[in-house]
Amino acid sequence: MRILMIRVRLMLLAAVASCWAAAALAEERLALVIGNSAYGAVPALDNPVRDARLMAEVLEGLGFDVTLAADAKQIEMKRAIAQFGRKLRGAGEEATGLFYYAGHGVQSFGSNYLLPVDVALADAADLDLMAIEAQSVLRQMASARNRTNIVILDACRNNPFEAVADLNESGLAEMKAPTGTFLAYATAPGDVALDGEGENSPFTEALAREIKVPGTPVEQVFKQVRRAVLEQSGGRQTPWDTSSLVSDFAFAAAAPEVVMSAAEMEEAQIWASIKASRDAMQIMLFLRGYGDGRFADEARALLAELVQEELQGGTAAAAAEPSDEPLQDAEAAMFKAAQDDGSKAAYEAYLMAYPEGRFAEAAAAGAAALAAGAGQDPAAGGEAPAAAPEAEQEEVKLAEAGPVTYATPLDTGVAEISGLTLAEAVTRSPSFPPIEGLPESYWKDQSCSNCHQWTRERLCTQGNTYLSLNMQRSLGKQHPFGGAFKQVLKSWAAGGCQ
């Protein structure tokens, strides 16, 4: 039995190791990068070796296993290409192969040749003996039968064999891409690419930058490279590519998407609805439920803005002179607005938003002083409010019709609370969500006092808020028991909250 258990464990370990090996093969990326600058028999080039080193560094950073060959002779290039083919064949079908070459390249009778640094040519017939046919690289990569291969040739500089008969064609010829291959050239077929006046060629400089952009498909990368080179060269060089890819490929992985939990999505949806409503009371409710949430700071800032607009009367706020002292944050803005207004309702509004705020003690003291001095606070500083339009005055009188007391049955057009006292009304369940989009679990079968934590004193504070003419607009805003409940609170507060 013990031997059987050991065998089972060994089999499981082998299976796990096999899975890890398969995963490693699936993610394998192999690159061969060659850059030739120090030619002997033909003109030397300034940038190819620097270009190759730049590409090798960038590709390594993107997860490629890079083989770099600089100023390679023919035998060294052939050996590197053969070894690259063997590694690619052993990497599996899911591997990605990439070949990059910078240096001299020529075409002859429709075939392209990459020139090693020891090339010496007096007759075009010897080209295939002295150089590396580009098609041989494609054959090595195609033999691996892997999913994705990329060939990049920054090899279309000036023709070093213009004096050799039958080798006077410019640039490279367009090659056919085997299935699953992306071919990119520094310039269009038959054209000449620039070596560049800086540390790198314009093509490779743009390529090294664009392949690092997270999540960009290979096709889009080379489109961006083309735009950059066209702009830099003033339209003299147009990078070219051809593709037979059958799968998607990106050099740099896309940034992971932010996955929100169900609770986070719910919070975001509720805040989006409340933010669009610009309702100060709904924002206060939101802060009670999500005071430490990701949108709390934004909610407080918006609340401060709305309260300041209400206190300053909207239009007057737009015409007011800006303060000489910039407000540091939303909380400070809201407290300053309460100080400027000087009313008990304004201080209470601050305390509802920031019950533990930096200015909570001062706001509570201000509200208490006003309550002790006047009993109710119809306007800033106890002075009579500015005359309102006749229609508005009539609405206020109707709203304050009473008397309404804490223990008097309410006479309203809302069946849910008609006949109940204020004390009883706040224990009833709302008929619709107090905040649009709020899940039923937060309000269904819950009493208003659960959300507001109502006490008689808090109800009085809320009612006094509605006495300010600048807060009249909130009376018409939606409430789970209709606007009538707000009017009742206002009338109760007008009578001294008896």
Side-chain angles (χ1 to χ4, degrees):
M1 184 68 179
R2 184 177 179 182
I3 294 175
L4 179 60
M5 290 179 66
I6 292 173
R7 285 179 177 173
V8 170
R9 288 176 181 174
L10 288 174
M11 290 173 66
L12 288 172
L13 288 172
V16 170
S18 176
C19 290
W20 277 106
L25 286 175
E27 298 175 0
E28 196 159 1
R29 292 178 163 193
L30 302 174
L32 173 59
V33 176
I34 300 176
N36 290 337
S37 291
Y39 288 93
V42 299
L45 297 168
D46 292 331
N47 288 332
V49 169
R50 289 196 291 261
D51 291 339
R53 287 174 177 159
L54 173 62
M55 285 302 303
E57 179 182 351
V58 172
L59 289 171
E60 284 179 348
L62 295 171
F64 281 84
D65 178 4
V66 180
T67 299
L68 173 63
D71 288 331
K73 298 178 180 179
Q74 185 194 44
I75 187 64
E76 294 168 340
M77 287 184 66
K78 286 186 174 181
R79 185 182 298 119
I81 293 168
Q83 290 174 349
F84 176 58
R86 283 195 294 272
K87 286 178 67 175
L88 196 56
R89 286 189 290 273
E93 294 182 357
E94 299 299 320
T96 297
L98 185 145
F99 176 79
Y100 170 90
Y101 174 80
H104 275 306
V106 296
Q107 65 165 303
S108 177
F109 298 103
S111 295
N112 295 322
Y113 294 87
L114 313 179
L115 305 186
V117 294
D118 60 346
V119 66
L121 192 69
D123 195 297
D126 296 333
L127 186 60
D128 59 345
L129 302 176
M130 305 297 297
I132 306 295
E133 188 179 6
Q135 199 67 37
S136 66
V137 178
L138 293 178
R139 283 195 293 269
Q140 287 287 332
M141 299 177 80
S143 70
R145 292 182 172 81
N146 55 314
R147 186 180 298 274
T148 303
N149 285 314
I150 301 168
V151 176
I152 305 169
L153 301 177
D154 193 354
C156 313
R157 273 84 167 180
N158 57 302
N159 182 4
F161 301 126
E162 289 182 346
V164 177
D166 299 325
L167 276 179
N168 54 7
E169 294 183 87
S170 298
L172 298 180
E174 187 170 7
M175 298 184 290
K176 291 183 179 180
T179 301
T181 303
F182 189 94
L183 283 171
Y185 308 84
T187 193
D191 286 347
V192 176
L194 304 175
D195 192 41
E197 298 178 356
E199 291 292 314
N200 299 104
S201 76
F203 175 77
T204 295
E205 181 180 29
L207 178 60
R209 179 179 64 251
E210 295 298 334
I211 64 175
K212 292 186 288 187
V213 178
T216 307
V218 61
E219 297 87 354
Q220 185 66 27
V221 165
F222 283 92
K223 186 181 293 183
Q224 292 297 110
V225 169
R226 183 156 45 249
R227 290 171 178 163
V229 174
L230 276 167
E231 182 178 354
Q232 185 174 348
S233 66
R236 291 178 294 161
Q237 180 176 338
T238 305
W240 203 261
D241 56 67
T242 182
S243 174
S244 63
L245 291 179
V246 293
S247 59
D248 297 330
F249 178 80
F251 289 97
E257 294 184 5
V258 177
V259 179
M260 292 192 294
S261 65
E264 289 172 334
M265 290 180 65
E266 184 179 276
E267 180 184 354
Q269 291 169 353
I270 293 171
W271 171 239
S273 174
I274 292 174
K275 182 179 179 181
S277 76
R278 294 180 65 83
D279 187 318
M281 296 306 301
Q282 289 194 30
I283 295 172
M284 290 179 189
L285 289 173
F286 177 82
L287 285 170
R288 288 202 178 107
Y290 300 98
D292 297 324
R294 58 186 298 199
F295 303 105
D297 290 341
E298 186 180 356
R300 291 189 178 98
L302 180 56
L303 180 60
E305 176 188 333
L306 293 174
V307 169
Q308 192 167 23
E309 287 178 4
E310 291 280 1
L311 294 176
Q312 293 180 347
T315 305
E321 292 291 330
S323 173
D324 294 332
E325 298 180 6
L327 295 172
Q328 294 181 351
D329 53 35
E331 182 185 354
M334 192 169 185
F335 181 68
K336 185 177 185 302
Q339 286 183 313
D340 292 343
D341 184 74
S343 69
K344 181 173 178 288
Y347 284 122
E348 291 288 357
Y350 166 83
L351 288 169
M352 290 176 74
Y354 299 95
E356 305 296 332
R358 290 172 294 167
F359 311 105
E361 186 175 351
L370 289 166
Q376 62 185 41
D377 183 34
E383 298 178 2
E390 184 176 345
E392 187 175 344
Q393 289 180 344
E394 183 178 353
E395 181 183 349
V396 172
K397 289 178 182 178
L398 289 173
E400 294 178 358
V404 175
T405 69
Y406 193 65
T408 302
L410 303 177
D411 182 13
T412 72
V414 181
E416 288 84 357
I417 60 172
S418 189
L420 303 177
T421 65
L422 276 173
E424 293 170 334
V426 296
T427 65
R428 296 304 172 98
S429 300
S431 54
F432 60 84
I435 301 173
E436 185 179 352
L438 193 69
E440 287 192 354
S441 60
Y442 284 85
W443 65 272
K444 196 74 170 177
D445 300 325
Q446 302 290 325
S447 70
C448 290
S449 58
N450 287 346
C451 178
H452 291 274
Q453 299 178 344
W454 286 132
T455 62
R456 180 168 179 164
E457 182 181 356
R458 286 178 180 268
L459 278 173
C460 184
T461 298
Q462 185 63 42
N464 273 286
T465 300
Y466 299 135
L467 290 174
S468 171
L469 288 178
N470 290 327
M471 299 293 283
Q472 292 299 307
R473 281 176 288 174
S474 65
L475 289 171
K477 292 180 180 177
Q478 193 69 288
H479 182 275
F481 291 142
F485 188 72
K486 293 183 179 182
Q487 297 284 0
V488 166
L489 284 180
K490 182 176 182 293
S491 297
W492 179 53
C497 296
Q498 298 299 314

